[in-house]
Amino acid sequence: MSIIKINNLSKSFGNLEVLYNISFELEAGESLVLLGRSGSGKSTLLRCLNGLERVNTGDITVAGHKMDYESSKLRLLRNDVGIVFQQYNLFPHLTVAANIALAPRLVRKVSKSDALTLAKEVLGQVGLLEKIDAYPSQLSGGQQQRVAIARSLAMKPKVMLFDEVTSALDPELTGEVLDVMEKLAKSGMAMVVVTHEMAFAKKVSDRVIFLHNGRITETGNPDEIFSSPKTPEFKTFLGAVG
Amino acid sequence: MDIVFQFGPVFKRMDLIIDGVTMTIQVALLSTFLGFLIGIICARIRIEGSKKAKFVVACYVEFIRNTPFLVQLFMFAFGLPQFVALLGFNIRPSPYYLAIIALSINLGAYSTEIIRAGLEAIPKSQIEAAQGLALTPFQIFSRISLPPAIAKVYPALSSQFILHMLGTSVISTISVQELTLSAGRIQSETFRAFESYFIVTAIYFALAIAFRIIFKLAARFALPWLHKTTNRS
Amino acid sequence: MRSFGLNEIWYMLQATQWTLYLSILTFVLGGSVGFFIALARCSRSRLLRAISGLYIQIFQSTPLLMQLFLIFFGLSLIGFRLPVLVAGSIALTFWASAFLGEIWRGCIEAVPEQQTEAADSLALTPWQQLRYVILPQASKIALPPTIGFFVQIIKNTSLTSIIGVTELMRASTNMNNATFEPMKVLAVASLIYFATCYPLSLISRKLENKLNVDH
């Protein structure tokens, strides 16, 4: 059963075409990595998947929801789709526990004590249980990003979207975040990851899509795509990122 | 020539002064609550309202900010009853309520601009994160945008409150029995005008200082996350 | 009973002159005193900073109406029987000088420290540093909030009507008492105030936006 199904997706900002005729499917439990140079449209594509960006044409179905920009339908979809950003975007005025409990309480109407249990559970998953009462400003970037992942997990999503989540981190802090994501992928969470971390793409992903100028230029499983790139664009890209 | 200050007779009417202080604080707090409420609503409209609504709010804000409070107060005090009578109602609202309305509407315009500045400083990514968590627009505004926005402009809002509290002295002109009017009554009984106003001015001064301290302390309790930025690990 | 017509509006417009004279006088006198208050606030002398700080604190922490009453009754207590216009101008001057002093202090402090250091190392005297380096930069920053404060001055001259200065507000009250048409009288009064203040507010905001873009 496919958890994401994209058909003929196109998007432009004014006259500038950023995504052109994108189609792909993702099976439940699979993890997909989107590669591409900056400006290739990979982040825009990811943001189309939970409706933060609106497409001009094309059909999108995510976690059983057909994309509909009517706000209440959009919220139903976002209920099942978690997203983590480059800038962690924790809410500065809320403690770690409150950051995590906020959406379950407001959206899913979970009771206060259940929300706290939930917060502890997901914080355990990202290994930050001891920071439950801290404020975001008291955490390192890597810890904030792990809390942001935990915050998404608390909504029990069917799909997780990661938008360059390690790009804003100091190199020595990326490992702890990637570890959490790897564990998540292994546990069978369907996820779409925009990243520059080649090692992660090679080791963790089930499938890779390479975007160039808003088009899917190359796609396949990591073993074959990295060992025998077909297009010159992907070869150049691999050469550049090492 | 000798100048003799006589504060004794003024102190004999301490009861009037205490009544005045109570009323001044009451009026200031009540109109501030309503004024900030208006400010929050209008600031939200100025950020994400329809074009028409934005225009209406802009007119309100500009009109209030570019006319004296005294004119606004008289409009409510003399104009509103005339208007109500024209509509055929036989109500005479008391000066107290008229003053509260005028003060709230006045403060509402100033706080709209302050709170709007705070809301504009909230990064768009914060709102996207909340959208990603499936929060409704109202939840996003009240839980995600507003608290940090208020915290950001907290100093400006506190000074606005002090100015506003001091500004309530003007409502003595429509006979609300607050601190300034107490001074007026005492001077008409004792004929010690300067002494009466001197003491009352000192009380306003003390109130302003006291509220400044209260706001500083309140920030420590209400906004702990602003002060906790240490012990990163 | 009089009815509210063109003659009455004309009377109010004439009184508006006094609102403007009083505003300009307050601005000039208050600005002159406020300039030195601002310098004292930024001075190296601790005593000067403390005194000017207290001065600002006193006038910013008491109602302008009380300041008006105290000057009005205080002057008559020590034997000066001055016209209300003079008492009003003196009180407004004190009040405006404290606020302008505080506004301008902020503008002087907004000039980066390195500018003083650079001027220092060029062997300029403190006065030369101020005159040729700090003030030219500070005055650029100061223009928008100063115009903004001038609007506050215009609005607050209305309080002098309470001690009997016949400016626009007092004239409006007189007209109201004569015609019993508060809505019309106050509508005209607020329109005159708005027509005077709004253009200044607009200029102030335009200049501020320009300043923000330039930096």
Side-chain angles (χ1 to χ4, degrees):
Chain A
M1 186 201 89
S2 56
I3 192 107
I4 299 179
K5 192 169 177 185
I6 309 289
N7 209 355
N8 284 326
L9 181 162
S10 291
K11 168 160 184 70
S12 45
F13 291 115
N15 286 329
L16 183 73
E17 202 163 50
V18 285
L19 291 171
Y20 181 74
N21 205 11
I22 306 276
S23 301
F24 69 85
E25 280 187 39
L26 188 74
E27 296 301 312
E30 273 192 324
S31 59
L32 166 71
V33 166
L34 295 178
L35 295 177
R37 289 203 305 240
S38 58
S40 61
K42 55 191 193 308
S43 278
T44 309
L45 175 57
L46 189 86
R47 291 159 59 88
C48 286
L49 296 182
N50 80 338
L52 278 178
E53 299 284 353
R54 296 182 177 208
V55 299
N56 299 81
T57 57
D59 297 319
I60 303 175
T61 308
V62 183
H65 303 276
K66 198 162 172 350
M67 184 62 72
D68 185 331
Y69 297 114
E70 195 273 311
S71 62
S72 65
K73 298 232 174 77
L74 203 52
R75 279 201 299 281
L76 282 177
L77 178 143
R78 286 168 175 170
N79 234 315
D80 289 329
V81 182
I83 184 164
V84 185
F85 302 88
Q86 181 177 347
Q87 295 296 341
Y88 342 113
N89 286 328
L90 293 182
F91 305 129
H93 57 297
L94 302 177
T95 62
V96 165
N99 258 285
I100 296 172
L102 184 76
R105 294 209 58 199
L106 293 180
V107 179
R108 301 226 145 152
K109 313 287 178 202
V110 171
S111 77
K112 203 171 181 175
S113 62
D114 286 354
L116 188 63
T117 316
L118 192 59
K120 285 181 180 158
E121 181 194 320
V122 292
L123 273 178
Q125 272 177 275
V126 301
L128 280 174
L129 199 50
E130 77 278 9
K131 297 289 183 192
I132 190 159
D133 291 320
Y135 282 97
S137 55
Q138 296 171 294
L139 303 178
S140 73
Q143 290 170 333
Q144 290 195 49
Q145 195 58 292
R146 280 148 73 195
V147 172
I149 295 173
R151 182 174 68 180
S152 282
L153 289 179
M155 288 294 279
K156 304 282 180 206
K158 297 189 175 119
V159 185
M160 285 284 285
L161 310 175
F162 293 90
D163 189 5
E164 303 205 29
V165 292
T166 54
S167 300
L169 295 175
D170 292 334
E172 70 271 20
L173 297 177
T174 58
E176 57 185 87
V177 175
L178 292 172
D179 287 348
V180 167
M181 290 164 66
E182 187 178 340
K183 244 174 51 192
L184 208 55
K186 295 237 164 83
S187 74
M189 172 68 76
M191 48 204 254
V192 181
V193 182
V194 169
T195 187
H196 293 290
E197 300 286 336
M198 285 305 137
F200 181 83
K202 284 175 190 162
K203 196 171 127 202
V204 181
S205 71
D206 299 302
R207 205 137 58 85
V208 174
I209 287 179
F210 174 69
L211 283 172
H212 185 75
N213 288 341
R215 288 168 167 78
I216 294 184
T217 311
E218 204 152 329
T219 175
N221 70 50
D223 295 336
E224 49 191 66
I225 193 170
F226 285 116
S227 53
S228 53
K230 295 187 196 79
T231 57
E233 290 85 3
F234 192 42
K235 272 180 199 156
T236 320
F237 175 79
L238 287 178
V241 294
Chain B
M1 144 203 129
D2 284 331
I3 307 161
V4 184
F5 289 113
Q6 290 186 359
F7 287 104
V10 180
F11 283 124
K12 282 207 182 101
R13 295 312 315 264
M14 212 56 197
D15 54 325
L16 270 181
I17 290 181
I18 289 169
D19 287 352
V21 171
T22 315
M23 181 57 100
T24 290
I25 294 177
Q26 186 185 330
V27 165
L29 290 181
L30 187 55
S31 61
T32 299
F33 174 76
L34 295 172
F36 283 174
L37 204 64
I38 295 172
I40 289 169
I41 294 167
C42 290
R44 184 173 184 203
I45 293 173
R46 282 205 94 165
I47 298 266
E48 49 188 320
S50 70
K51 239 182 176 170
K52 243 187 212 159
K54 275 182 183 165
F55 179 73
V56 171
V57 170
C59 288
Y60 155 64
V61 169
E62 294 303 338
F63 178 78
I64 296 293
R65 281 159 51 99
N66 288 291
T67 51
F69 173 64
L70 199 52
V71 175
Q72 296 159 20
L73 180 70
F74 284 5
M75 276 190 150
F76 284 102
F78 307 131
L80 193 67
Q82 191 194 25
F83 187 69
V84 169
L86 273 180
L87 290 178
F89 294 103
N90 191 18
I91 322 165
R92 278 220 143 258
S94 76
Y96 172 77
Y97 288 111
L98 293 168
I100 295 275
I101 294 173
L103 282 167
S104 309
I105 286 177
N106 179 266
L107 183 64
Y110 287 92
S111 49
T112 296
E113 287 304 279
I114 297 173
I115 295 167
R116 179 175 74 136
L119 286 172
E120 278 172 351
I122 301 296
K124 206 175 146 247
S125 57
Q126 284 277 311
I127 294 167
E128 286 185 347
Q131 286 173 338
L133 290 167
L135 268 55
T136 65
F138 181 73
Q139 288 168 338
I140 294 173
F141 177 76
S142 61
R143 309 279 185 137
I144 305 304
S145 309
L146 191 59
I150 298 282
K152 186 143 203 124
V153 296
Y154 185 80
L157 284 177
S158 334
S159 352
Q160 195 64 48
F161 171 81
I162 304 285
L163 280 176
H164 182 71
M165 188 269 291
L166 298 173
T168 58
S169 70
V170 172
I171 64 174
S172 58
T173 54
I174 62 164
S175 320
V176 180
Q177 304 281 342
E178 45 65 81
L179 194 48
T180 302
L181 201 67
S182 297
R185 285 174 64 185
I186 295 171
Q187 70 122 338
S188 66
E189 282 178 20
T190 62
F191 301 106
R192 310 302 314 184
F194 183 81
E195 289 89 334
S196 307
Y197 285 113
F198 186 84
I199 285 169
V200 161
T201 305
I203 294 174
Y204 275 114
F205 186 76
L207 280 177
I209 303 289
F211 273 115
R212 277 203 192 98
I213 293 169
I214 290 171
F215 281 126
K216 277 223 173 90
L217 292 177
R220 295 217 156 259
F221 288 108
L223 310 167
W225 50 280
L226 276 186
H227 306 285
K228 288 190 182 172
T229 48
T230 46
N231 65 46
R232 278 166 186 269
S233 56
Chain C
M1 195 168 76
R2 266 168 93 170
S3 69
F4 188 69
L6 282 178
N7 280 332
E8 286 66 29
I9 295 177
W10 180 240
Y11 170 79
M12 286 168 67
L13 280 171
Q14 283 194 313
T16 308
Q17 280 183 67
W18 287 101
T19 292
L20 295 178
Y21 296 152
L22 196 54
S23 303
I24 293 166
L25 187 71
T26 301
F27 180 73
V28 171
L29 295 180
S32 314
V33 181
F35 176 72
F36 290 101
I37 299 287
L39 290 188
R41 271 307 271 156
C42 297
S43 92
R44 285 173 199 170
S45 148
R46 202 175 234 203
L47 184 70
L48 274 180
R49 282 208 308 272
I51 294 173
S52 53
L54 183 67
Y55 180 89
I56 291 172
Q57 178 85 288
I58 286 174
F59 289 100
Q60 288 200 341
S61 303
T62 53
L64 173 58
L65 187 57
M66 292 299 102
Q67 296 164 25
L68 275 164
F69 281 158
L70 281 181
I71 297 284
F72 179 62
F73 291 115
L75 284 176
S76 59
L77 192 68
I78 52 176
F80 286 112
R81 289 269 158 214
L82 292 174
V84 282
L85 190 63
V86 178
S89 311
I90 294 174
L92 282 169
T93 297
F94 274 118
W95 164 80
S97 67
F99 276 81
L100 283 172
E102 181 69 0
I103 292 171
W104 290 342
R105 174 196 63 87
C107 298
I108 291 174
E109 283 177 354
V111 179
E113 185 101 31
Q114 295 94 308
Q115 293 288 317
T116 319
E117 285 170 8
D120 236 348
S121 42
L122 290 170
L124 267 60
T125 66
W127 176 248
Q128 287 171 329
Q129 290 178 21
L130 194 67
R131 166 73 184 79
Y132 294 102
V133 180
I134 308 299
L135 289 184
Q137 301 184 58
S139 58
K140 220 174 145 188
I141 311 172
L143 196 55
T146 304
I147 296 175
F149 187 72
F150 189 65
V151 173
Q152 300 293 327
I153 295 179
I154 296 175
K155 289 189 290 177
N156 277 336
T157 56
S158 66
L159 292 187
T160 62
S161 68
I162 298 172
I163 59 167
V165 179
T166 309
E167 37 61 79
L168 174 55
M169 189 68 225
R170 183 74 175 194
S172 311
T173 315
N174 292 347
M175 279 305 97
N176 183 31
N177 291 341
T179 63
F180 295 106
E181 297 256 37
M183 288 291 256
K184 284 181 192 164
V185 173
L186 292 167
V188 170
S190 57
L191 274 181
I192 297 174
Y193 276 114
F194 187 81
T196 318
C197 295
Y198 185 59
L200 290 168
S201 298
L202 271 187
I203 293 169
S204 165
R205 197 176 318 152
K206 283 256 160 68
L207 289 174
E208 197 179 330
N209 289 341
K210 195 168 163 286
L211 208 61
N212 289 338
V213 172
D214 290 351
H215 285 266

